[in-house]
Amino acid sequence: MNDRGQAFTVEGVAAAVLLLGTLVFALQATGITALSAGTAGGAVDTQQADLARGVLANAVASETLTPSLLYWDDAYAGADGNGTYHGTGDDGYYVEGIPTAFGDSLDRTLADAGYAYNVNVYYYDSADGAVVSRPLVEQGTPSDDAIRAVRTVTLYDDDVLSDVNETATDTTLAEASNFYASDVSPDSPLYNVVQVEVVAWRL
């Protein structure tokens, strides 16, 4: 690599790091807390908190969280002309759960223990210049004592979309045409930064 190429790489990485910090700050400013309870308090809140926080921590450790964010049908042309998560159609979100390893973990940990849950994805929209959200799982309206747990995930240009069988495709985020989040830094390896929020409440 020549000096110019090296300089571009260093500048691109530096810009990506700066942008990453800015995006994380912007996401945190939306008011999502890493762990917050409603008014009920007590052991039930603590149990819900541990479950919601634990399922996200396990998904990060097992590397199953990011693939669910990339479980995307880029070729789908819905009513709005955009892609969608596999099998969700124009609704764009799951009701019963995500048909991925992360979704299986959510069901085993939360649904099987008698909890309903929503999963929301927050990301920076470069077109609007604001943090926006879209549901990944929508199972209803949380109760007043619902627990929220959040994890931040960094997406990169060379991350690849998954097919319906949760197998990696040849389509990278940089090549995707209908992915829900935009490339916030086209001149760097960074694609976008998202926060995954799990909201759980007892049925």
Side-chain angles (χ1 to χ4, degrees):
M1 183 181 295
N2 58 34
D3 293 340
R4 181 178 178 182
Q6 290 176 337
F8 177 78
T9 301
V10 171
E11 290 173 359
V13 170
V17 169
L18 179 62
L19 183 59
L20 176 62
T22 302
L23 292 177
V24 169
F25 177 80
L27 287 167
Q28 290 174 341
T30 62
I32 307 170
T33 56
L35 188 61
S36 61
T39 57
V44 173
D45 282 345
T46 301
Q47 182 182 15
Q48 287 180 230
D50 290 343
L51 289 172
R53 183 167 46 191
V55 73
L56 277 175
N58 289 336
V60 171
S62 62
E63 299 182 348
T64 59
L65 181 55
T66 299
S68 286
L69 299 175
L70 302 173
Y71 190 65
W72 185 257
D73 186 355
D74 200 53
Y76 182 87
D80 58 1
N82 295 325
T84 190
Y85 293 110
H86 288 290
T88 62
D90 286 346
D91 289 339
Y93 58 84
Y94 300 100
V95 175
E96 298 300 326
I98 318 165
T100 64
F102 174 51
D104 291 343
S105 179
L106 284 167
D107 286 341
R108 288 195 309 270
T109 306
L110 297 174
D112 290 353
Y115 293 92
Y117 63 88
N118 294 337
V119 181
N120 301 305
V121 179
Y122 296 80
Y123 56 93
Y124 185 78
D125 188 333
S126 55
D128 294 337
V131 174
V132 297
S133 67
R134 67 173 297 133
L136 178 54
V137 179
E138 185 68 62
Q139 293 188 344
T141 302
S143 62
D144 290 340
D145 61 346
I147 291 296
R148 290 168 171 80
V150 176
R151 281 283 177 154
T152 300
V153 178
T154 304
L155 300 177
Y156 297 94
D157 290 342
D158 59 0
D159 286 336
V160 294
L161 302 181
S162 300
D163 65 17
V164 69
N165 298 313
E166 207 175 357
T167 301
T169 67
D170 294 329
T171 304
T172 66
L173 283 179
E175 298 166 336
S177 57
N178 292 312
F179 192 63
Y180 55 90
S182 59
D183 188 349
V184 296
S185 183
D187 296 327
S188 80
L190 176 68
Y191 186 85
N192 208 312
V193 179
V194 304
Q195 280 192 335
V196 181
E197 176 193 47
V198 174
V199 184
W201 66 98
R202 185 171 285 282
L203 292 171

